[in-house]
Each structure stands twice: as C-alpha cells, then as structure tokens.
Amino acid sequence: MGKRETIVLSSSEDDGDCNDNDFASKSILKYFKQPKSGAASVPRTNTKGPIPKKARISSSRSHPGKSSNPFDEMKEFCEDFGEGFTGFKVSAGHKRDNKELWVDKYKPRSLLDLSVHKKKVEEIKIWLEERIKTKNNNHYNHVLVITGLPGVGKSATVEAIASHLGVTVYEWNTPTPTIWQEHIHTTNAGLRYMSKLDEFENFVEKIRKYGLISSSLTKEPQKKPFLILIDDLPVTNGKISYGRLQRCLHLLVQYVCVPTIILITDYGRSDTADYTSRCWEELQTSLQNAGAFKVAFNPITANSITKMLSRICREEKLKTKAEQIDAIAKASGGDIRNAITSLQYFNLKSNSKGIFVNSNCLDDGYSLSCGRDETLSLFHALGKFLHNKRETEKATTSDSLKEEFTRLPMKMDVPEKVLGQAHGQARPIADFLHENVLDFVEEEGIDDAWVVASYLSDADSLLASLNGIRSRSYEAENLIQSTAASVAVRGVMFGNRHPLSSRWHAIRRPVMWQVEQSQWRNKKEMIGERCVGGYNGVSLSDLSVIATEWKPVSKWLGGSMVDNNDCDLDHFEEICDDDDEIEDW
Amino acid sequence: MLWVDKYRPKSLDKVLVHEDVAQNLKKLVTEQDCPHLLFYGPSGSGKKTLIMALLRQMFGASAEKVKVENKTWKVDAGSRTIDLELTTLSSSHHVELNPSDAGFQDRYIVQEIIKEMAKNRPIDVKGKKGFKVLVLNEVDKLSREAQHSLRRTMEKYSASCRLILCCDSSSKVTEAVRSRCLNVRISAPKEDQIVKVLEFIGKKEGLQLPPGFAARIAEKSGRSLRRAILSFETCRVQQYPFTNNQVIPPMDWEEYVSEIAADIMKEQSPKRLFQVRGKLYELLVNCIPPEVILKRLLHELLKKLDSELKHEVCHWAAYYEHSMRLGQKAIFHIEAFVAKFMSIYKGFLIATFG
C-alpha cells in the first residue's frame, strides 16, 4: 500500500507531461469527481481487483493514442485517485522506512538508549524487579507514580525497562471522547452514556479487586510477569469529579496487588495559577500519602539531548553542525521528544532550501524556527536574582565607571530577559525580592542593604504612579511596569555587592500580603467602631486618631467607655458581618 | 462618657482655648453668609470641637441630633458600577463624612456622592439658612484626583451647600481648594493652656491635683489637648489620689516604637533589619499610620543620637517620608530609612571608636 501512494503522486505529473490536451479536461473532472471518490466507496471496489498500478500507468503512457475515449481515461484516473487516497490514508498509520517520524524510529529500545538519568532508571528497575520477584506479597505497595514534564521520557522508560525485564505492559486504553452529536445519537438509540471518568473508575475497581481480568490476557497469563500502565488519567474538571478521581486512585494505591505504574505529566510551574495543574500536584501528594512510590523525572539535560541528537545525525548521515545541535538541544528545554522532532524538521528544511543552513547566523547563534520558548518558574527567576551569581574575573572592558559602581559580569541572561521568561509582573516581583533579599546580604553589609532598600523604594514609587493613569494608556502602564521591575531587580543585584555564598534558601511568600490583609480588616473594624459613638460623641474622628489614641487609651480605661454604645449596637454588628469577605490572594 | 467628650465645649462662647478664633467664627456666621471653611492644624488642637460648636451656632441645638448611617452607594463609573460603603453622620442640617475611607476610590465619593448631597437643597423650615453644610474630614488624605473634583463641586453647588473641610496639614491640600476656602488655622494649644483645661476638669470632677502634675501631663502630651485629657483620665483610673511622681502611661505603640529604636541602636546588620521589619509590620497591622511611625521613630532615634548625625538623619527621614507618599507600600520606604540610618550610624561608630 505504501508503495502505491508514492506512485500516485508522480503519476498525475506524468500524465500531464505526456498528454497535454487531455490534461485540462482531466483536471476539471478531477475537481468534479474528487469529492465522490473521497466518499470512499471507490477504494473498496478497487482493492478487490489488485491490478498493479505501475503497470496501468505505463500502459496509459505507452498507448496514449489508443485510449481514444476520454471518458475511459477519466474513469481510470478517478480510480487512480481513489486508490491513491486510500493508500495514503492507510500509510498514515503504517511505517515507511525513510519518512517515518524520528521520534518513533529512535525510540529507546534498551536501557542504554535511554537519555533519562541513570539513577532514576535504576530506581524504577529495582522497584519493578522487587514487585515481580515477590509476587503477591502484600508488604509492598504496588503503585509507582512517575511525574515529569512532557517529553522527558516517562513512557519510554517504562517500556524500555519492561522489555528489558521481559514484562508485559498492559495499558489502560483511554476511551475515545464522546462528542455532543454522538451523545445525542446514542442516547436516542437507547444507550446509556457513561462518562470517561466512570469507565476509568470501573477499570480501576476491577484491577484493584481482581488484578487482570482473564479475558484481557493471553493464553498463559500467570507465567509471564506483567504490569499495568496508566498513562492517561481522565481529564477532570471541577472539584467534584476531581475528588472522585482522587478517591478512586487513592483506593487503587492502597489495595491493588499487581504492579501498577501511573504516569502524571507536570505542566510548567509558570501556569500554576490554573486550577487543574494545582489539582495534579495535590493528586501526587495524596497518592504518595497513600503509600505510592514516587519518582520525579527532571527535564533531560542539554548534554544528553545533544548526545542523542548527534547519534541520530550519525545514523541518518546528516551533516548538521554541532552548534546547530546545541541550539536545538538548548531550545527544547529538556523535552527530548520536541528536540528530535525539531531536528527532523530542521533537516527537512535544510535539504530543500540550502539557504537555511549556512546563513542566518543571528547574534545568538542559529535562528531556530522551531523549538519551544524557554520558560522559567517565578521562583527560579527569583533565585537567580537573589543568588546573584557573578563571574570571578572582570571582563576587559573600558572602565569608565568608578570603582564603587563596577560589578563583575553576571552569570545569567539579562535580567529583563529572565523576567520575561518567568512572566514576572513587577508588583509581585518587588514584593518577593523585598521579602527575601535580606537573607542574601552578608552580615556586615548594612550599606548594601540600604542600597537595595532604596532601589526597592524607588521601584515602589514607580509602581504607585500607575494608579493615576490606570485604564488610560496600556502602553504607558506597560512601560512603567517593566521599568519598575527592572529597577527592583537590577537594584537588588547591584546593591548586594557581596552576596552570601549559595546556601540553600527557601524563598518565602511575602509576609506583607498577610499584613496588608489584616491591616485592611482592622481598618474596616475601626471604621465600624467609629460609628458606635463610643469614641467621639457627636463627630467622626480620623482613623489615625482612633488607632494611635483612642484604642490604646481604651485598653487602660476598660469598661468606662461602653456606656453610650447601646443605641447603635445592632448597627455595629451589621457592619462587622461585612468584614468577612476578605479577598483571598 | 469619656472626659474628652464630657468636657467638650458645646458652644463657641464656652471654649477655653482659641477664644479669639471662636469669637471670629461667631461673628462670621451671625453677621453674614458663611463661606467654605478649611480648618487645619495639628491633631488634638480642637478643630472638631470648633466645627461642632460652629454648627450649633448656625443651626441651633438641632445640629447635635445626629444619626449614624452606613450606606452603600452605587456609583456609576463609566462602564461598571462600583459599590461604595460610606459611613456618614448627619443631622437635618449637616452631613459629616470621611471621604478618604474609600481609599483610591475616593474620587467617586467626591464626584458622585457629595454632588448628590450637595444638590439636594434642604427643606428650609425657618427660612433662616438656605444651605446645607457638608463636613469633610481628612481632606489631606484625599488623592489628587479627588481634590480636583472637589474643587469643581465647591463652585458648582456653592449656592445650596457649604463645605467645611478639616485636615491636619494644609500643605497636602491643593492650592485650588485652599484658595476657595476661608482658611482657619488652629494651632496646637500651649502647655499652660492645657494645664488650665486640665485644672478646669479636675475642679469639675472634684479631684485633688498635686502641684505640677497637670504640667507634667501637658508636657507629655506633645501639645495635644485630646491626648492630655485622655492621659489625665487614664491616670485617674490607674491611681487616685494622684502622687507627684506618678507614671503617666504612654501609648503602647509608642513604647513599641522606642523598643524598635533601641534595637536599631544596638546592632546594625541585615539580620537586625529583618527583625525590625517584623516589628514594623506589627505596628502597621494595628493601623498605626506609617507617617506617624516614621515620625515617632525619628523622634526616638534623635534622642539618643550624636548631634553631628542629626542633620543627615533628618534629611533621610524627610526623603523617605516623601517617597512614602509617592509610593504605595509604606514598609518599603520605612525600611529603607532604617537601613540608611543603620548604615550612617555604623559608619559613625567605626569612625569614632575604630
């Protein structure tokens, strides 16, 4: 089938070449007929009569004059087309030698092929071996959770290890999602709709109680060791269904007696504001609490990706330059699947257009039209700023700056770029820096601390200037935001002349947020109390006066202030009730 | 009832301090139409008392029959409606409110709510006064935008309504607003005036005051009459009969600030700065205004400082007070001041003691 398809592509050209005046009519007919043949009734009849197509084409070529009836030829063409169509369709799933996706082609077959860190592989291997050897031993917990970013080789590792140990992998097949029209159709037909989550729950319950059901097994089920792989957890939306999923997995972890591996894909930390990704994190911890063994895969190092890519290049006999490979490896951000696809795409391009390879040297090496944008988590970026790592030697530049203003070159990208990668907004960045920076200033460096503090104060003033112009000009707002962020970040990096050597620091959430909340609450309370009249008979007094004078004094005086409150008490309570709705950050 | 309220003079004739101002005000309202007024002066100097007395002078005793209202206003702000909660104190002749409570939304209060109130002419029962009075507190805390819209309101509705503005410092009120008002400066009462008031209260309460005791309270009060009367009453609760060496209890937050100052003087390091930050947060949570904290802190620090450093420290305090006003989060600026002080002081210590 695969062969046929390639021929069809060339055949139309051949026809055009040899038979010019027919071509016009043919192409018109093609337009007419195409949808019909596309309706796929033709291919079936065609495949019944397996005439080798090449022969037919050559026949049409050798007797161009003979087929005097244009209709015949047209029909023939249609058949060709239809055949080609099916051929193409099938070959999509079929593997052809030279046009296969490299991701599939270079799938790791053995443990040595894996680019994943050796330790992690070993960990999983040992875990699996233990489970296989001591069968039906209930001391162990039988669930392994593997987490990691997409494309770090979670599934590949499991498959490689399984084939290494001779373990059969039974995978949970995700049911095809039901679309709405289909749903209506089936319900009309009287079938009950079953949600995918329900199906998953059923499946989990089955393997939890009975292990593998015999029907799903081959003839000799008990001889060969096996494991169950759950790669594709059902998507949950909302708290209720998420809770169900969590419960069912929790039970699975606790009671299942066959080795089970659950793969959970982490999504970038940068979008943790998203509810679902938070769910996944929670899910992981709950599984761990239930006793599952967790292995977290890190993004694959650029080195291993480079190695892998160079190997592919060797095997494919490509002349990709080392820098190009490096660039691809770097751009992939630890996602090896992406890296391999990029490489394939890259070479595809360079084959067809020679320009791409040798020119286009931009300032940062090769401009890749593929690969992913690198992102950083906010905390990663903050860590970079706070640790403030610098080269040990001064770069030889013409020093026009005074001694006290020069700093060693930074060991990182330009702060603004890092900020961009972390999607950092000025306000939270400034708050986080303010909260944490003092941990990184050395004990003697109070002068540094002042410089840092003064820059943060400037950044705050800049940010405050946003208030007035809000909703008037986004551009100005953007500019101020990014300027303020730069001032804060660069101020911190400039000011901290002797950052503490990199010890482990946990980055704290700004206490300020909490302070602001309770301040706000207290303030509301005071506004409420003010109306009671307890403080100031017939007039409203300033909040500051209440805070600084009335309140402290009322502590001393105690009960004597309460006499004339009663008239407004219910009113006061009503105000208090409103206080509870404090905006959660 | 607290003594502060109990002995608050009810009419312009009975005031014990600022008699001259009171008399002028009385003349003003009895003889002619009253202009917009702006009362300014330090806290505890008697602005509110004068305003209340003035209202009574204008409208009679009915001005004292007030009710507290807490109302949610729906303000139409372009594309959306904003709910603003506002507490007002009103009689049939006047409304008193604190527009700055609304924070950054204060301009809506000024633009919409005050306009609403100003528009409605009061039903003039006796045909005496054809206007209503709006008392706005803490005008200096209003944002610039709000002050601008206040200006327009003042002009547009001056026929039906008079504004009495009240603030601590007129420098934070825009020129435009100031020039539309009759400015009345209420200075802080002198110490002997405070002593006079305290002795008056003591006599009314039938207390024995040891000689010099009232003077000590007055000295401690920082020329704030309210403060003086409050501590006087506190002393009375704590210990009576008074003794001459009786401790006058300070405000708890002031003690806390002096603790912070002591911390700062003891050690100058980032770690200490961090501890200080924690304590500052404590104060902020209790709604002590950051300006007050900074001022008090400076006061405490200056007490213990060598005179040659005082000038520089004051300079930086002023610098960061200013940037605090421009900025949003006070802690950034207070902390910067503390850090600067530490850095100066440490340099000084090293220079003098090696």
Side-chain angles (χ1 to χ4, degrees):
Chain A
M1 291 280 239
K3 269 182 192 169
R4 276 184 208 162
E5 183 250 339
T6 51
I7 292 160
V8 164
L9 285 174
S10 61
S11 77
S12 66
E13 274 173 35
D14 286 355
D15 283 349
D17 277 351
C18 64
N19 213 344
D20 268 341
N21 43 353
D22 266 339
F23 186 69
S25 64
K26 238 187 256 172
S27 57
I28 291 167
L29 283 166
K30 191 164 98 187
Y31 286 127
F32 276 68
K33 282 282 178 175
Q34 192 172 342
K36 260 189 195 168
S37 57
S41 59
V42 186
R44 236 173 259 161
T45 53
N46 249 350
T47 40
K48 268 180 203 167
I51 317 156
K53 199 169 146 246
K54 190 138 198 172
R56 209 185 330 170
I57 285 173
S58 60
S59 75
S60 71
R61 202 192 267 178
S62 53
H63 316 285
K66 262 187 190 175
S67 59
S68 52
N69 188 351
F71 182 73
D72 275 350
E73 204 174 4
M74 185 259 318
K75 211 168 98 189
E76 220 170 60
F77 177 77
C78 282
E79 281 169 357
D80 276 357
F81 187 83
E83 205 166 293
F85 192 76
T86 40
F88 182 74
K89 249 196 157 169
V90 173
S91 73
H94 202 79
K95 302 202 169 157
R96 279 161 299 132
D97 268 355
N98 53 350
K99 293 215 168 159
E100 191 190 346
L101 280 180
W102 289 355
V103 177
D104 293 327
K105 192 174 164 191
Y106 295 101
K107 204 172 202 160
R109 308 263 180 262
S110 71
L111 290 187
L112 288 175
D113 285 350
L114 282 172
S115 301
V116 182
H117 197 280
K118 295 251 162 34
K119 263 191 195 160
K120 304 268 175 189
V121 178
E122 199 59 26
E123 227 175 312
I124 296 172
K125 206 178 105 188
I126 290 169
W127 180 87
L128 194 55
E129 274 171 345
E130 274 175 0
R131 299 298 179 284
I132 293 165
K133 269 181 211 155
T134 55
K135 220 174 257 173
N136 296 330
N137 189 339
N138 285 326
H139 296 307
Y140 287 117
N141 197 293
H142 289 272
V143 177
L144 172 71
V145 180
I146 302 180
T147 64
L149 292 171
V152 295
K154 296 182 295 290
S155 327
T157 311
V158 173
E159 274 166 40
I161 291 177
S163 71
H164 176 78
L165 297 174
V167 177
T168 325
V169 178
Y170 291 102
E171 198 174 332
W172 151 249
N173 274 330
T174 325
T176 339
T178 320
I179 55 171
W180 182 242
Q181 283 87 346
E182 200 183 333
H183 172 64
I184 289 172
H185 181 77
T186 44
T187 36
N188 286 344
L191 288 170
R192 205 174 63 84
Y193 171 73
M194 198 177 188
S195 92
K196 306 307 160 201
L197 189 55
D198 288 335
E199 286 181 41
F200 182 72
E201 271 183 338
N202 282 347
F203 163 76
V204 165
E205 196 165 300
K206 266 184 227 158
I207 58 168
R208 197 180 79 215
K209 287 184 179 153
Y210 318 113
L212 275 185
I213 316 289
S214 53
S215 68
S216 68
L217 288 179
T218 42
K219 302 269 157 31
E220 59 273 273
Q222 294 311 319
K223 282 175 193 152
K224 243 180 146 193
F226 61 91
L227 70 89
I228 294 170
L229 177 66
I230 303 176
D231 194 351
D232 213 348
L233 289 177
V235 176
T236 56
N237 213 341
K239 263 188 192 153
I240 298 167
S241 58
Y242 165 71
R244 271 173 60 194
L245 177 69
Q246 194 180 13
R247 229 172 301 126
C248 112
L249 283 176
H250 197 269
L251 284 174
L252 174 78
V253 172
Q254 280 179 326
Y255 298 113
V256 78
C257 294
V258 288
T260 307
I261 298 182
I262 303 175
L263 305 185
I264 297 179
T265 307
D266 283 334
Y267 296 99
R269 286 291 157 86
S270 48
D271 10 86
T272 30
D274 187 15
Y275 178 71
T276 39
S277 62
R278 249 186 295 163
C279 282
W280 290 123
E281 272 172 41
E282 230 177 277
L283 186 66
Q284 286 172 26
T285 44
S286 94
L287 290 183
Q288 259 182 298
N289 289 341
F293 185 69
K294 181 181 157 185
V295 177
F297 276 26
N298 294 325
I300 294 179
T301 55
N303 270 343
S304 337
I305 294 185
T306 317
K307 233 184 268 169
M308 184 69 193
L309 294 184
S310 348
R311 209 195 74 189
I312 294 177
C313 288
R314 265 201 314 281
E315 282 180 28
E316 292 281 332
K317 300 193 183 61
L318 294 169
K319 279 171 269 165
T320 317
K321 284 183 203 152
E323 307 95 78
Q324 290 170 335
I325 291 181
D326 277 346
I328 294 176
K330 220 175 134 194
S332 71
D335 181 346
I336 195 161
R337 178 164 40 202
N338 186 286
I340 294 174
T341 319
S342 301
L343 182 72
Q344 190 174 9
Y345 174 63
F346 185 77
N347 282 301
L348 205 67
K349 273 199 118 168
S350 60
N351 283 343
S352 55
K353 293 178 195 167
I355 328 148
F356 186 75
V357 184
N358 29 25
S359 67
N360 273 355
C361 265
L362 290 182
D363 42 1
D364 54 336
Y366 293 84
S367 71
L368 283 178
S369 46
C370 46
R372 34 160 80 187
D373 289 339
E374 204 179 340
T375 57
L376 281 174
S377 72
L378 181 63
F379 287 88
H380 196 153
L382 285 170
K384 280 192 174 198
F385 298 143
L386 289 169
H387 279 293
N388 194 5
K389 285 187 184 149
R390 298 196 178 248
E391 309 285 352
T392 41
E393 278 170 31
K394 202 181 279 181
T396 50
T397 47
S398 52
D399 269 340
S400 52
L401 285 175
K402 280 184 195 162
E403 176 70 35
E404 49 183 318
F405 296 128
T406 49
R407 298 284 185 272
L408 294 169
M410 292 175 281
K411 258 189 186 171
M412 56 187 260
D413 287 330
V414 195
E416 285 74 26
K417 194 179 168 192
V418 177
L419 271 178
Q421 285 172 343
H423 310 293
Q425 276 193 310
R427 185 35 91 186
I429 288 269
D431 289 357
F432 268 104
L433 288 176
H434 170 254
E435 177 67 38
N436 291 292
V437 71
L438 287 182
D439 290 354
F440 293 84
V441 180
E442 61 163 4
E443 199 48 24
E444 295 299 305
I446 189 66
D447 296 347
D448 292 356
W450 168 64
V451 177
V452 168
S454 81
Y455 275 112
L456 285 175
S457 134
D458 290 345
D460 179 61
S461 304
L462 271 173
L463 280 173
S465 61
L466 275 178
N467 273 348
I469 57 157
R470 175 168 298 159
S471 79
R472 245 171 258 172
S473 145
Y474 287 113
E475 235 163 88
E477 195 181 324
N478 255 336
L479 186 66
I480 291 177
Q481 282 262 7
S482 48
T483 317
S486 287
V487 168
V489 168
R490 283 184 180 269
V492 163
M493 298 187 66
F494 170 80
N496 196 359
R497 222 174 308 186
H498 311 288
L500 284 183
S501 57
S502 55
R503 283 186 285 130
W504 186 79
H505 286 285
I507 289 184
R508 285 183 305 266
R509 182 172 176 274
V511 183
M512 187 197 306
W513 297 346
Q514 222 175 312
V515 168
E516 276 169 353
Q517 264 187 23
S518 33
Q519 186 185 0
W520 190 75
R521 202 173 7 200
N522 284 345
K523 196 171 160 191
K524 275 205 93 175
E525 202 174 296
M526 274 184 203
I527 293 179
E529 279 173 39
R530 176 172 60 192
C531 336
V532 181
Y535 288 136
N536 198 355
V538 279
S539 163
L540 297 170
S541 36
D542 300 358
L543 270 189
S544 58
V545 174
I546 294 179
T548 53
E549 294 182 23
W550 298 109
K551 274 226 151 187
V553 168
S554 73
K555 269 178 214 160
W556 294 110
L557 295 181
S560 62
M561 300 185 64
V562 201
D563 1 3
N564 59 350
N565 286 2
D566 30 66
C567 53
D568 287 297
L569 252 185
D570 42 355
H571 197 76
F572 174 50
E573 273 160 17
E574 180 190 309
I575 298 157
C576 277
D577 286 346
D578 299 341
D579 290 354
D580 293 336
E581 300 161 9
I582 285 141
E583 209 178 339
D584 198 12
W585 183 76
Chain B
M1 197 188 264
L2 284 175
W3 290 355
V4 190
D5 294 326
K6 197 169 166 189
Y7 296 104
R8 184 191 297 276
K10 291 283 184 306
S11 75
L12 287 174
D13 292 323
K14 282 188 189 155
V15 294
L16 291 173
V17 289
H18 304 301
E19 287 106 336
D20 46 340
V21 180
Q23 286 313 312
N24 281 338
L25 285 173
K26 190 179 172 188
K27 237 182 267 169
L28 185 76
V29 289
T30 45
E31 282 175 13
Q32 51 187 316
D33 206 2
C34 163
H36 297 306
L37 294 171
L38 170 67
F39 284 83
Y40 64 97
S43 118
S45 55
K47 302 181 291 288
K48 284 284 175 53
T49 308
L50 281 172
I51 292 173
M52 292 315 298
L54 180 69
L55 286 173
R56 193 188 149 99
Q57 185 72 40
M58 284 162 130
F59 302 112
S62 61
E64 278 168 20
K65 288 189 191 113
V66 291
K67 62 173 192 290
V68 180
E69 249 181 315
N70 195 14
K71 193 172 160 189
T72 309
W73 295 77
K74 286 204 189 312
V75 177
D76 191 31
S79 51
R80 68 218 159 95
T81 35
I82 302 171
D83 283 351
L84 280 177
E85 220 176 281
L86 189 68
T87 312
T88 56
L89 201 71
S90 56
S91 73
S92 50
H93 302 283
H94 84 285
V95 180
E96 181 178 348
L97 67 160
N98 271 30
S100 60
D101 284 353
F104 64 92
Q105 289 174 323
D106 53 2
R107 63 181 183 283
Y108 296 117
I109 294 205
V110 172
Q111 272 177 346
E112 303 298 329
I113 299 180
I114 294 185
K115 224 180 262 179
E116 195 66 30
M117 288 175 176
K119 255 195 294 198
N120 299 330
R121 215 173 236 277
I123 304 159
D124 196 1
V125 200
K126 288 165 200 155
K128 211 165 135 200
K129 292 273 190 280
F131 57 80
K132 194 175 187 174
V133 173
L134 281 179
V135 182
L136 305 186
N137 290 323
E138 299 177 273
V139 189
D140 49 348
K141 299 239 174 66
L142 284 180
S143 64
R144 198 152 281 274
E145 289 84 0
Q147 294 197 20
H148 277 299
S149 26
L150 188 60
R151 185 194 61 185
R152 255 172 269 137
T153 313
M154 287 170 102
E155 269 175 358
K156 208 165 169 192
Y157 302 103
S158 62
S160 59
C161 137
R162 295 286 177 279
L163 292 178
I164 297 183
L165 312 177
C166 177
C167 63
D168 283 357
S169 157
S170 69
S171 66
K172 286 159 196 161
V173 181
T174 53
E175 272 303 330
V177 171
R178 264 189 281 165
S179 89
R180 282 168 175 77
C181 296
L182 177 69
N183 294 5
V184 185
R185 177 166 182 271
I186 313 292
S187 56
K190 296 208 174 57
E191 276 178 26
D192 51 330
Q193 283 176 317
I194 295 179
V195 171
K196 212 171 76 190
V197 173
L198 292 181
E199 276 166 356
F200 168 77
I201 293 175
K203 208 169 81 190
K204 287 264 181 180
E205 288 283 319
L207 302 174
Q208 289 290 321
L209 280 175
F213 184 67
R216 267 180 60 218
I217 293 181
E219 190 199 332
K220 271 261 183 178
S221 69
R223 289 177 71 189
S224 157
L225 190 53
R226 173 179 49 233
R227 181 75 189 274
I229 299 175
L230 282 172
S231 14
F232 185 42
E233 194 174 357
T234 323
C235 289
R236 164 75 179 77
V237 170
Q238 281 196 318
Q239 187 185 354
Y240 186 77
F242 298 121
T243 53
N244 218 349
N245 51 0
Q246 182 174 349
V247 187
I248 296 157
M251 300 291 171
D252 48 3
W253 64 271
E254 286 178 352
E255 266 183 304
Y256 204 67
V257 172
S258 61
E259 215 174 277
I260 294 176
D263 281 352
I264 295 173
M265 301 296 279
K266 217 182 284 165
E267 186 191 326
Q268 297 83 35
S269 71
K271 202 177 277 170
R272 181 52 61 98
L273 183 61
F274 185 72
Q275 288 164 1
V276 167
R277 181 199 290 174
K279 292 190 171 179
L280 290 173
Y281 276 149
E282 190 72 28
L283 287 171
L284 288 174
V285 165
N286 284 307
C287 296
I288 312 288
E291 302 87 4
V292 175
I293 298 177
L294 186 61
K295 201 171 149 195
R296 187 77 203 175
L297 187 61
L298 177 69
H299 179 76
E300 293 288 335
L301 288 172
L302 285 181
K303 266 194 219 164
K304 303 168 187 169
L305 210 58
D306 272 68
S307 49
E308 52 184 302
L309 290 183
K310 279 183 181 168
H311 172 248
E312 199 185 354
V313 169
C314 285
H315 165 78
W316 285 107
Y319 178 86
Y320 284 113
E321 206 264 348
H322 177 65
S323 73
M324 184 154 72
R325 232 166 250 291
L326 296 178
Q328 212 170 8
K329 308 220 167 177
I331 188 72
F332 279 59
H333 309 282
I334 301 181
E335 199 180 304
F337 167 68
V338 173
K340 183 65 191 173
F341 178 83
M342 281 182 168
S343 147
I344 292 173
Y345 191 64
K346 196 179 177 194
F348 168 75
L349 286 183
I350 289 171
T352 41
F353 304 110

